[in-house]
Amino acid sequence: MTENDPHAQDSAAGRQNPGAQPGTEGQAAWSQSPGAQPASGEQASFGEPTPYQAPAEPTYHAPTSGDAVYGAPSPWSPQGAQSGPPAQPGQPQVPTGQTQAQPGQPQTGQTQAQYNPYPPTGGTAQPTNPYVASGAQPPNTSIYSAAPAQPKKSGAGKLLASVAAIALVIGGVAGGTVGYLTGGSSGPTVNALDQPKPAQQTGNAPAGSIESVAQKLSPSVVELQVSGRTASGEGSGFILSTDGYILTNNHVVEVAANGGQIQAVFQDGKKATAQVVGRDPTTDIAVVKVSGVNGLTPVELGRSDDLKVGQPVVAIGSPFELAGTVTSGIVSSLHRPVQAGGDETDQTTVMDAVQTDAAINPGNSGGPLANMSGQVIGINSAIYSPQSGQGGQGGSSQGGNVGIGFAIPIDQARRTADDIIKTGHATQTYIGAKVQDAQNGGAQLGDITPGSPAEKAGLKSGDVVTKIEDRAIDSANTLIAAIRTRAPDEKVTFTLSDGRTVPVTLGGQPVPSN
């Protein structure tokens, strides 16, 4: 291939991120086991408790004929409100409607630490609490000292203690819930809908912010609606002069270059017809001019030779016909050789692209990429599309943004646009030699055009270029991109693979626009 007829690809390897596997979650379940039975050879007695045998889990069920009840149903069971059976000899009679107090267990409303009429074996029964009957316990009137810890009961005694503990836990949760539900309504009701609107923003956007860039640049960005004999589409552009010159991509307007129509839509919604002034398929740059308008707001052009990887940038354009869309990101790489746009019949574009992660989609082509001072530093031209596996044409590719976009450096675009406006055609920088990838890296020269800058510099077919000035050359596309970013008649130094250095004066030639 020749550096006059480049064909380059910029591929990016996709990454695969394995899908996260759903985590497994443990489930807690209540298990039930039979209640503990008295040990063999032992019998539960009324005054001598059997040592506690801990079951695997407490059992909660209605009492049956096999359950020990000590003369009365469990107060925790549904039958607890019924009258008890006849009193046994030696036990006090319980009036109808009351339950018999269980050995070692508190009466209703008391904890075990408060009431324990049955001391350990060999102890002396405590006198009756005169306040128990009424359920009241005035402060500092208890006639009891703290009861000693009692051996744990098995059977129904253990069951009642377990159920009581769960009842306390549930009661605590319920009490907390009630407090939450009632406590939230104790104060006055506040409704955001009743609040007044805040003061309207009247100050200017902070300097260096995305907002300030959008305010400065948006009035100078236009949407270009294009139609031709065989196709139609839309893209973006930005105003160069008050009398209507607009800079855009060649691939945005080329379908209308021969008898088609171009309509420019401005930020305020006004429309104007535009005509192609000139275009350069090899650099994917074109200039159009609108008629019948004046007093337009031109952009401020920056420079691209001092860009830094990581610096913030803002892109503005009309992705998917959404005019005036603003996105932001950073410069993610520099000097990226990318094929994009151009005349698909016999020429392609290899540009020395500025790579950015600012969202760029079909329709952004031709729009500005700006620094945080609102100065244009590139023309958004291409995106990486996983569908094609290479940098696709921003205006015709159907791929969407994947965080890899490419812009033509404004230094190159500025020089080309100036040539088009002044002469009606672009001037292409060249050396006059075919190039191809070298086997061990670099760009190998092929046929040398007689009288070309390459021949005048003494370059020969077979020479391998590894560096231009301080820039490493690792492929033929890199050599083409590096040459096209420079102006005709510029002097540069080529470093060859054998260590020789060769000074070369770059040439320039008109580029046909049709």
Side-chain angles (χ1 to χ4, degrees):
M1 70 191 310
T2 70
E3 42 90 32
N4 295 332
D5 183 16
H7 185 82
Q9 295 183 353
D10 184 69
S11 61
R15 295 193 180 96
Q16 185 175 10
N17 183 13
Q21 299 297 324
T24 57
E25 299 179 357
Q27 295 182 351
W30 289 101
S31 60
Q32 295 182 342
S33 61
Q37 301 296 326
S40 176
E42 297 179 355
Q43 184 175 4
S45 62
F46 196 84
E48 298 181 357
T50 303
Y52 176 69
Q53 302 293 326
E57 293 287 348
T59 303
Y60 313 129
H61 61 277
T64 63
S65 59
D67 291 328
V69 295
Y70 295 102
S74 168
W76 307 103
S77 68
Q79 294 83 6
Q82 299 176 4
S83 59
Q88 300 298 323
Q91 295 183 5
Q93 185 173 357
V94 180
T96 302
Q98 297 183 2
T99 56
Q100 176 70 41
Q102 302 302 313
Q105 300 297 326
Q107 291 187 1
T108 302
Q110 295 179 317
T111 63
Q112 188 168 0
Q114 294 173 318
Y115 178 68
N116 189 357
Y118 301 103
T121 304
T124 304
Q126 303 294 329
T128 303
N129 186 345
Y131 297 102
V132 170
S134 63
Q137 181 73 29
N140 303 321
T141 57
S142 174
I143 61 173
Y144 300 101
S145 60
Q150 301 297 316
K152 296 181 180 179
K153 300 289 191 291
S154 62
K158 173 272 301 177
L159 175 61
L160 295 179
S162 300
V163 177
I166 291 181
L168 291 174
V169 172
I170 296 175
V173 174
T177 303
V178 171
Y180 173 79
L181 293 177
T182 59
S185 61
S186 60
T189 300
V190 177
N191 191 329
L193 299 176
D194 298 332
Q195 304 303 308
K197 291 182 179 180
Q200 187 175 13
Q201 300 183 57
T202 57
N204 294 328
S209 65
I210 297 173
E211 182 183 358
S212 67
V213 175
Q215 289 180 357
K216 177 180 179 179
L217 200 54
S218 292
S220 303
V221 181
V222 300
E223 178 184 6
L224 296 176
Q225 300 173 347
V226 182
S227 62
R229 291 193 300 263
T230 60
S232 63
E234 61 90 32
S236 304
F238 52 91
I239 299 168
L240 292 176
S241 66
T242 58
D243 59 348
Y245 282 106
I246 295 173
L247 186 58
T248 186
N249 283 140
N250 173 70
H251 74 258
V252 171
V253 300
E254 64 182 345
V255 298
N258 298 306
Q261 295 181 344
I262 304 175
Q263 189 173 60
V265 183
F266 298 94
Q267 184 194 36
D268 59 5
K270 293 181 180 179
K271 300 180 180 180
T273 301
Q275 300 293 330
V276 175
V277 176
R279 58 193 184 92
D280 180 6
T282 65
T283 57
D284 196 23
I285 293 172
V287 176
V288 301
K289 190 176 188 298
V290 294
S291 57
V293 297
N294 51 45
L296 300 177
T297 303
V299 299
E300 179 184 357
L301 298 179
R303 57 189 304 165
S304 53
D305 60 351
D306 62 351
L307 295 177
K308 306 296 182 183
V309 173
Q311 77 174 74
V313 289
V314 174
I316 304 179
S318 304
F320 301 107
E321 301 184 22
L322 300 174
T325 296
V326 178
T327 57
S328 66
I330 62 169
V331 173
S332 49
S333 184
L334 294 169
H335 305 300
R336 185 76 75 188
V338 174
Q339 172 193 340
D343 187 340
E344 297 178 357
T345 59
D346 61 356
Q347 289 179 309
T348 58
T349 294
V350 178
M351 61 178 175
D352 196 42
V354 177
Q355 182 178 319
T356 179
D357 67 350
I360 298 175
N361 287 287
N364 272 112
S365 291
L369 184 70
N371 59 25
M372 301 312 290
S373 295
Q375 301 168 332
V376 178
I377 51 89
I379 304 174
N380 300 318
S381 182
I383 59 175
Y384 173 77
S385 173
Q387 292 180 341
S388 62
Q390 64 181 18
Q393 296 183 17
S396 60
S397 172
Q398 295 303 307
N401 171 62
V402 293
I404 304 176
F406 305 102
I408 301 170
I410 197 60
D411 290 348
Q412 178 182 353
R414 183 175 194 161
R415 185 179 63 252
T416 302
D418 190 55
D419 284 345
I420 290 175
I421 292 173
K422 290 178 178 179
T423 67
H425 63 268
T427 301
Q428 180 189 73
T429 306
Y430 79 110
I431 62 170
K434 292 183 178 180
V435 294
Q436 64 182 15
D437 293 344
Q439 184 175 3
N440 296 320
Q444 182 175 346
L445 303 182
D447 295 338
I448 306 295
T449 303
S452 67
E455 184 187 55
K456 293 177 180 179
L459 294 172
K460 305 294 183 182
S461 177
D463 286 342
V464 176
V465 180
T466 59
K467 187 181 291 186
I468 293 182
E469 297 296 331
D470 293 331
R471 178 175 177 178
I473 303 299
D474 58 2
S475 67
N477 285 341
T478 304
L479 175 61
I480 294 169
I483 291 173
R484 287 184 176 168
T485 60
R486 297 178 179 273
D489 300 326
E490 185 175 346
K491 295 181 179 181
V492 296
T493 300
F494 282 23
T495 300
L496 306 183
S497 59
D498 58 6
R500 290 183 295 141
T501 58
V502 180
V504 179
T505 300
L506 303 177
Q509 61 185 6
V511 178
S513 59
N514 295 324

